[in-house]
Structure formats: structure tokens, C-alpha cells
Amino acid sequence: MELKSHYDYVIVGAGLFGATFARRATDAGYTCLVIERRNHIAGNVYTQLVDGINVHRYGAHIFHTSDRRVWDFVNSLIPFNRYTNCPVAQAPDGKLYNLPFNMNTFYQMWGTKTPAEAIARLEEQRNEAVAAMKADGITEPRNLREQALALIGRDIFRQLIEGYTEKQWGRPCESLPAFIIKRLPVRLTFDNNYFNDIYQGIPEGGYTRLVEQLLYGADMLLDTDFFDQREHWMSMCDKLVYTGPIDRYYGYRYGHLEYRTVRFETETLDTPNYQGNAVVNYTSADVPYTRIIEHKHFETFGRAVYDNPVTIISREYSTEWAPGMEPYYPVNDERNTQVYDQYRHLAEKEQNVIFGGRLARYRYYDMAPVIAEALEIPL
């Protein structure tokens, strides 16, 4: 592809923020060059068609929002299906439980059949946890374990939270801050829909198709690391849109920001239906992976599941991040928050650089808020 000598915007990163910004800018008549270090577009929402199944290469992504503007925007580009996220958890006791915590969960756990019965069991265990802390002179939960016990009680904590959380963070619950789990959703209805948002679904044909539409009209370079020719790319534009790690942009002058990362073991199985659900969490500490994703269930429903004789699953492992690995989840503890604030102050002084997305803002985002942010940034 022959590049222009100059662009209104050079956009670093072809994920949702960069691609949405490119769509807006292109529609407004601006020229855009998008630079992506990977060999594909769409960042972590990248889907790849394998054996007739759209595989979520970087983990399960379910689009959900109550923002009608965002929902209408993405559906104007590609239609979304009616997928509803209803994960299931296999617990240490060997049973399967519905998530989020709802009347089905409480029935499976205790046999309670009415909201009043469920509330009584929850209050009994909450009060027990609070009384135990008071007996030890503890007035406020000091860590995630104490916070969770005070919110949900021992049974659900042991079966559905403890092992999963420790695998996810690679640390015992006693060493994790209480704020991580300040709220736990409890629904006193038989509703397995994980999200409360009005709109929910998956782009028909996968997220890569959505991002292709977002990027249409912009020039694109894959397998290109912005930092290999940083000054060159910056000289080619009026403004830079940067979606990469903010600490790398500033040469790690205040140190590395920390993340949790994820690795996947993906395989094709000679069966049309492996687990009957897109997402099954494994909450036991004895199981090394946090969940299994069966990709066909994101887009294939009912009897149509059996039209394809094979299925593809991914086992997801949460691991400690090290420089050079793919960063996934910011570790928003006190140390990292202080380091990020130093980088943020530098970013706020930039005149012609826009920072956006989870890596540049060091914040975990769902997909819809990323798009909303990109729609609101002044051009």
C-alpha cells in the first residue's frame, strides 16, 4: 500500500478505541493511518474463522450496554445476534451453579425456593462473618476474604469465589485488597442473564467483521511497531492517537505498570457439543484453568449447534505478567495507581497526542465504554 506523505491522524493500535476513532475521523473527512504491531486488526476482540466457527482468540467477549447511542452505532455497521451471557460454574463440590448469584444459585446451593428463604440463609452467614470479625477486633474488612464473607457468606465464598479469585490474581484472598470485591451482585429472581444492560449480543460473523467496518477508509499497516520509527510516524501527522501502554510511551521513566495476563489452550474436538454453554467457570483451586470457552455457542443456537460436527474449546489460564507478555488486566493497587498518576500528569500536558483505551488509560474497560469514549473525544 502506498502511504500518503501526511495524515491528519496517525492512530497507534487497531483495537476498538483506535478503530472507532478512525471511523469517526474518516467520516468527518480527515485522513487516518492506523499502525498495528500485531499481524491482525481488532486487538483483543479479534475473532478468527476456524472450521466454520468464529474463535475468540483472546478470550470471551460479549458486547453489552444500556447506551442506545453506542448500540445503534455498532448495529449500523454490522447486525448483532441475540446472544445472552449465562455462565455456569463447576465448583469444588462437583456441582454446577448458575451465575450471577441468583435464585437458581441459591436453590442449587441450599435448596431454598423463595426469596425470603434465600435472604434468611444469606443474612445468617453474613451475620456470622461480621460477628467473627468483631470478636477479633476487626471493624472493617481488611482484605478480599473478609469482604466477601461479609457480603455473601461462607458457602458461596468457598464454592464459587475463593479458588477462582486466587487463580485469577495468583495470590491468596487474604493478600488481596478488599476493594476488589466491594460489591457482589445478588439477584432474588430466577434470571441467569449475567448482565443488567438493556442490549446484548455478538456481531454476526465475529468481531473482526465489526472492526473491518470501523477501519474502512483508513490506511492500515500491520506488523508495524510504532516505536521502531516513532519520530517518523509523529512527523507524518497533525495529531497522534495512542492506544498502547502509557508507560512504554514515556520510556518507563517511572517504572513498569503491572498487569495480569492470560494464556489459552485451544483445541478442536470431534463432537458437536462439548459443554452445552459458551462459558463454564472452574472455581476449584485444584483445576489450573479458570474457565473453558466453547466458541460455537456465541453464535449458534438450539438445534443448529449440531449442524457442525466439530467444536472448538479454549482453556483459559490466568498468569503473572512480565514485560514482553501481552498485558490484559491492570493491577489497580496502590503502587500501580501512584505510578499511573505520574504518567497521566505527563499525558495531560501533551498538545497533539490523544491517549485512549485500556492500556493508555490503565483501566479495565468493557467494550461499549471504550467505543463511547472514542465517540466523545473531540476531533
Side-chain angles (χ1 to χ4, degrees):
M1 179 185 67
E2 185 175 349
L3 299 181
K4 301 176 178 62
S5 60
H6 193 81
Y7 291 86
D8 296 309
Y9 293 98
V10 167
I11 301 169
V12 181
L16 281 178
F17 184 92
T20 301
F21 189 95
R23 174 78 276 126
R24 283 185 62 219
T26 301
D27 288 345
Y30 295 100
T31 56
C32 297
L33 171 64
V34 181
I35 298 172
E36 171 57 53
R37 66 175 177 80
R38 301 184 195 182
N39 62 2
H40 61 76
I41 63 171
N44 282 4
V45 302
Y46 174 63
T47 50
Q48 182 181 25
L49 188 64
V50 180
D51 292 331
I53 299 167
N54 281 303
V55 177
H56 294 218
R57 283 298 183 192
Y58 299 91
H61 287 84
I62 300 96
F63 197 93
H64 60 97
T65 184
S66 291
D67 189 332
R68 180 64 180 267
R69 178 191 55 155
V70 170
W71 184 247
D72 287 347
F73 172 72
V74 294
N75 277 271
S76 72
L77 300 168
I78 184 172
F80 277 56
N81 69 20
R82 56 100 175 150
Y83 178 80
T84 301
N85 190 29
C86 299
V88 175
Q90 180 163 308
D93 62 8
K95 295 180 182 179
L96 293 175
Y97 294 92
N98 290 105
L99 298 174
F101 309 136
N102 62 49
M103 288 299 296
N104 287 311
T105 318
F106 306 140
Y107 175 75
Q108 293 153 347
M109 184 76 66
W110 300 313
T112 55
K113 297 180 181 179
T114 67
E117 292 173 348
I119 289 171
R121 291 300 294 267
L122 286 167
E123 285 301 310
E124 175 189 350
Q125 295 200 4
R126 288 167 174 163
N127 292 337
E128 178 186 280
V130 171
M133 285 192 289
K134 286 183 178 178
D136 291 335
I138 303 167
T139 56
E140 292 290 335
R142 301 166 299 178
N143 54 56
L144 187 147
R145 174 184 291 276
E146 293 173 355
Q147 181 70 75
L149 288 170
L151 288 171
I152 206 72
R154 67 180 182 278
D155 290 343
I156 291 177
F157 174 73
R158 290 171 181 169
Q159 295 298 329
L160 300 177
I161 297 175
E162 183 175 27
Y164 189 88
T165 301
E166 291 186 350
K167 286 189 292 186
Q168 202 171 34
W169 291 96
R171 295 161 178 80
C173 288
E174 293 87 344
S175 68
L176 292 168
F179 73 80
I180 291 177
I181 203 165
K182 277 289 186 184
R183 290 180 62 253
L184 283 171
V186 172
R187 296 183 187 162
L188 296 171
T189 62
F190 291 92
D191 180 4
N192 297 323
N193 183 356
Y194 193 81
F195 299 120
N196 290 317
D197 287 308
I198 299 171
Y199 310 109
Q200 184 174 174
I202 305 285
E204 292 182 3
Y207 285 99
T208 302
R209 286 190 61 208
L210 170 65
V211 178
E212 286 172 348
Q213 293 300 310
L214 289 169
L215 291 171
Y216 181 77
D219 287 346
M220 181 80 225
L221 287 176
L222 298 176
D223 281 317
T224 303
D225 192 326
F226 166 75
F227 291 99
D228 288 345
Q229 300 183 70
R230 174 173 175 157
E231 297 306 319
H232 169 68
W233 300 122
M234 295 189 74
S235 71
M236 287 182 62
C237 64
D238 293 331
K239 286 190 176 182
L240 181 77
V241 178
Y242 180 77
T243 72
I246 191 170
D247 53 352
R248 187 180 184 193
Y249 185 86
Y250 288 109
Y252 307 107
R253 70 175 67 176
Y254 301 122
H256 283 274
L257 291 165
E258 296 174 313
Y259 297 84
R260 290 291 291 174
T261 191
V262 182
R263 68 178 180 88
F264 302 92
E265 291 179 354
T266 299
E267 61 178 314
T268 301
L269 303 177
D270 190 20
T271 179
N273 191 359
Y274 175 72
Q275 63 187 16
N277 205 46
V279 180
V280 176
N281 292 355
Y282 286 79
T283 62
S284 172
D286 295 332
V287 178
Y289 41 85
T290 55
R291 60 183 179 175
I292 295 180
I293 302 162
E294 188 170 6
H295 300 271
K296 68 168 23 176
H297 292 295
F298 290 123
E299 298 183 64
T300 309
F301 311 109
R303 296 183 63 184
V305 168
Y306 293 89
D307 292 343
N308 188 332
V310 303
T311 193
I312 299 175
I313 66 168
S314 295
R315 296 178 182 86
E316 184 173 318
Y317 298 80
S318 180
T319 61
E320 200 73 22
W321 175 85
M325 301 173 70
E326 196 64 46
Y328 273 79
Y329 305 109
V331 180
N332 296 119
D333 58 14
E334 184 176 351
R335 179 262 172 195
N336 284 290
T337 299
Q338 291 176 351
V339 171
Y340 169 67
D341 282 343
Q342 292 177 289
Y343 289 123
R344 178 175 56 81
H345 290 316
L346 293 178
E348 289 171 349
K349 297 175 183 177
E350 299 283 354
Q351 296 298 311
N352 296 308
V353 183
I354 296 169
F355 294 85
R358 65 185 177 88
L359 299 179
R361 297 291 183 93
Y362 196 65
R363 182 190 309 167
Y364 178 77
Y365 280 98
D366 285 325
M367 290 176 285
V370 169
I371 290 175
E373 182 178 276
L375 290 174
E376 292 164 3
I377 294 286
L379 293 175

